[in-house]
Amino acid sequence: MGKFINMKKYTLLLIFILSVCVSFSQDYFEWSEEQLITDTLSDYSNPFVIPIAYDAWMFYQKNDARSSIIKMNLTTINDIVPVLESESFNYANPSFIWRGNPDYIGYLFYLSDMDGYNNLYASKYYENDSVGESIAVCKNLQGEDITEYSVSEESFITFLIDSLVYVAELKFYSDSVYTENETIVDSSSYGAKVKFREVCWQKQVDGNSNIFISYLKYNEDAEEFYLTVASYLDSIGNSHSLDKSSSVFGWGYNHFCWINNNYIKVYSGSSSFDQYDTINNFDQEDVRQISMVNWDIAVKYPYELPHYLAFTVNQGESAEIFSSHGEFGMEDSAQISNNSYMDEYPNLFFGESVNGWGTEAYYVYCVWQSHINGNIALSMSKAKAWIGSSIKENIKTDNYLKVSPNPFTDRLKISYNNHNRVSNIKIISAVGSIVADYKHLTPSNNWEYVSWQTLEHNSKGIYVVLLTIGSEQISTIVVLN
């Protein structure tokens, strides 16, 4: 089994070019039987799931006399390890960024009051489930209480101090991680989420919660990112429902979702275009607490992305977890939980590949809180996501794009024939980051080539080579061993 952003220690993969259109079969939208996966917890546990090697790992917060952080292998429902715990202070709200370093897996982020106030920390995480020293991430804001935060794989972070929302760049060095260019996004605000280079947050205005968005753009002269003027998206009353999508193979589409008057709203787009969708709630009442994943190869623009979206319906012991799935505008629904106790706060995450890296299907995990006999536990169900392509059927990839060798170790030859038209080539990681960009390729009717030399921080695994010729886009999959 594998992961969508953490790809290592796998055998030789079957390389393929994804099918010419997104395909779905019934079993790809069927959720497994719900399963209790933790003992009782005393409060919301902030689960965070990430694929590591061939499994899906879940980090979560357990609250006893002091809160601690636990790691569980969701694939096998075992390997439960106390990661961070103390009798003197608390560890809470875990998240993880994989780094692909040969010496350690990545950084575990968390909130802790170890220095007398609530600060954001990170520790290196090793294969034996040990952690390195606690590093205070926000070095320029020492002594301030951070109450919530959101990190992205693209090395941006948002966090909340009092009612001020900040955004900053995350800088990783050999033995440390810290923030730079901390910028106040807005005041009287909360619930900020960062995805790719977009920041979305909620702000109280005249007693209502309004949603705003701003974009991080790079100033080449100043060699730093700056935040664009905020744009209004929606007013959602007293709802605190804003969430960001966990996307895989996303390119050019960044998703935020929220609830307005029982309707599920999704924003997708970029700084150059906006797109809004209303997701079918299938006439369910009291829809709340949403979470979303979406995926695409993004070889045709624009493209309606397939998705899973989980949400809570009803209150008290009648509260259950439902999901919407399919393509926007063509959704279907399923009831994930069905029991006699209250289920709430669903969280969706991408997990490992169904049949090993290079296949078309990946697991999606739904983890939620279950209230049982006055206690709280975590429950889980999982389904499959089909990762497909929207490339036009009349385009034959071999006439435009060839790669060799595949799989490759450090250098990839990308041959292209743009048929005497302006073109460019992008190499995109599995989380949607552009790792190489070859612009303004010379128009020619002959086969030309570029060579991609990988860097030390490029992780092993799947990449998309995307050739754009005029308005047409052609893609193929490559694997870095």
Side-chain angles (χ1 to χ4, degrees), residues 38-58:
T38 71
D39 56 2
T40 57
L41 309 168
S42 59
D43 200 354
Y44 184 57
S45 54
N46 296 302
F48 186 90
V49 177
I50 185 170
I52 300 289
Y54 296 88
D55 300 306
W57 289 6
M58 179 177 71

Side-chain angles (χ1 to χ4, degrees), residues 180-378:
E180 277 189 355
N181 301 325
E182 297 91 348
T183 302
I184 295 177
V185 178
D186 208 343
S187 60
S188 301
S189 301
Y190 56 93
K193 309 292 182 183
V194 59
K195 183 70 178 175
F196 295 112
R197 295 183 180 180
E198 294 183 348
V199 181
C200 200
W201 68 96
Q202 295 182 238
K203 178 181 176 69
Q204 287 296 122
V205 179
D206 297 329
N208 289 319
S209 179
N210 290 0
I211 296 180
F212 292 87
I213 193 168
S214 188
Y215 305 93
L216 289 157
K217 293 190 174 182
Y218 189 70
N219 185 322
E220 294 185 359
D221 294 331
E223 296 183 342
E224 65 181 19
F225 285 92
Y226 67 95
L227 202 62
T228 64
V229 175
S231 298
Y232 167 85
L233 292 183
D234 201 358
S235 180
I236 58 175
N238 293 318
S239 175
H240 290 226
S241 61
L242 178 65
D243 197 14
K244 68 176 180 179
S245 171
S246 300
S247 62
V248 61
F249 289 122
W251 175 74
Y253 289 87
N254 308 321
H255 282 68
F256 298 96
C257 51
W258 61 88
I259 297 170
N260 187 341
N261 195 26
N262 215 50
Y263 289 100
I264 300 170
K265 303 288 187 177
V266 176
Y267 166 84
S268 57
S270 69
S271 59
S272 59
F273 77 99
D274 292 322
Q275 180 172 323
Y276 299 88
D277 292 282
T278 299
I279 305 298
N280 194 341
N281 66 6
F282 304 96
D283 297 321
Q284 299 293 338
E285 296 182 358
D286 196 17
V287 174
R288 55 198 175 90
Q289 301 165 349
I290 56 175
S291 182
M292 184 177 183
V293 296
N294 63 275
W295 63 95
D296 76 313
I297 292 300
V299 294
K300 182 179 176 182
Y301 173 93
Y303 177 50
E304 299 285 0
L305 301 183
H307 71 278
Y308 279 102
L309 194 150
F311 50 93
T312 305
V313 171
N314 296 324
Q315 300 275 353
E317 293 184 356
S318 299
E320 300 291 356
I321 308 300
F322 282 72
S323 77
S324 162
H325 50 258
E327 290 217 23
F328 295 154
M330 298 183 291
E331 302 92 3
D332 201 353
S333 69
Q335 184 170 347
I336 301 177
S337 71
N338 186 13
N339 50 59
S340 60
Y341 40 84
M342 180 170 67
D343 296 310
E344 62 178 356
Y345 292 110
N347 292 271
L348 291 179
F349 304 93
F350 267 103
E352 75 279 10
S353 171
V354 172
N355 295 308
W357 286 105
T359 59
E360 313 94 296
Y362 297 78
Y363 285 114
V364 171
Y365 286 86
C366 184
V367 181
W368 66 91
Q369 279 189 178
S370 295
H371 294 252
I372 305 173
N373 298 325
N375 295 307
I376 300 174
L378 288 178

Side-chain angles (χ1 to χ4, degrees), residues 71-265:
K71 170 243 175 178
M72 171 189 285
N73 188 325
L74 274 188
T75 303
T76 58
I77 314 297
N78 61 14
D79 189 24
I80 301 172
V81 179
V83 174
L84 290 168
E85 56 183 351
S86 171
E87 295 181 356
S88 303
F89 41 83
N90 299 285
Y91 296 100
N93 200 4
S95 59
F96 197 96
I97 290 184
W98 183 74
R99 296 298 297 166
N101 189 288
D103 298 324
Y104 61 94
I105 297 175
Y107 278 96
L108 177 65
F109 289 79
Y110 49 93
L111 296 176
S112 179
D113 56 1
M114 67 177 71
D115 290 327
Y117 55 93
N118 217 37
N119 202 359
L120 177 63
Y121 297 87
S123 296
K124 288 181 180 178
Y125 200 92
Y126 298 92
E127 290 194 14
N128 63 357
D129 291 318
S130 64
V131 296
E133 65 173 326
S134 295
I135 303 168
V137 176
C138 302
K139 296 183 181 296
N140 297 327
L141 296 166
Q142 298 296 305
E144 302 284 354
D145 279 318
I146 297 175
T147 53
E148 61 183 50
Y149 75 98
S150 170
V151 297
S152 75
E153 282 291 330
E154 300 75 30
S155 298
F156 291 103
I157 182 170
T158 59
F159 51 91
L160 184 68
I161 298 177
D162 292 328
S163 60
L164 298 177
V165 169
Y166 287 78
V167 65
E169 295 180 65
L170 279 176
K171 297 292 185 179
F172 295 89
Y173 288 93
S174 58
D175 294 314
S176 186
V177 55
Y178 57 88
T179 58
E180 277 189 355
N181 301 325
E182 297 91 348
T183 302
I184 295 177
V185 178
D186 208 343
S187 60
S188 301
S189 301
Y190 56 93
K193 309 292 182 183
V194 59
K195 183 70 178 175
F196 295 112
R197 295 183 180 180
E198 294 183 348
V199 181
C200 200
W201 68 96
Q202 295 182 238
K203 178 181 176 69
Q204 287 296 122
V205 179
D206 297 329
N208 289 319
S209 179
N210 290 0
I211 296 180
F212 292 87
I213 193 168
S214 188
Y215 305 93
L216 289 157
K217 293 190 174 182
Y218 189 70
N219 185 322
E220 294 185 359
D221 294 331
E223 296 183 342
E224 65 181 19
F225 285 92
Y226 67 95
L227 202 62
T228 64
V229 175
S231 298
Y232 167 85
L233 292 183
D234 201 358
S235 180
I236 58 175
N238 293 318
S239 175
H240 290 226
S241 61
L242 178 65
D243 197 14
K244 68 176 180 179
S245 171
S246 300
S247 62
V248 61
F249 289 122
W251 175 74
Y253 289 87
N254 308 321
H255 282 68
F256 298 96
C257 51
W258 61 88
I259 297 170
N260 187 341
N261 195 26
N262 215 50
Y263 289 100
I264 300 170
K265 303 288 187 177

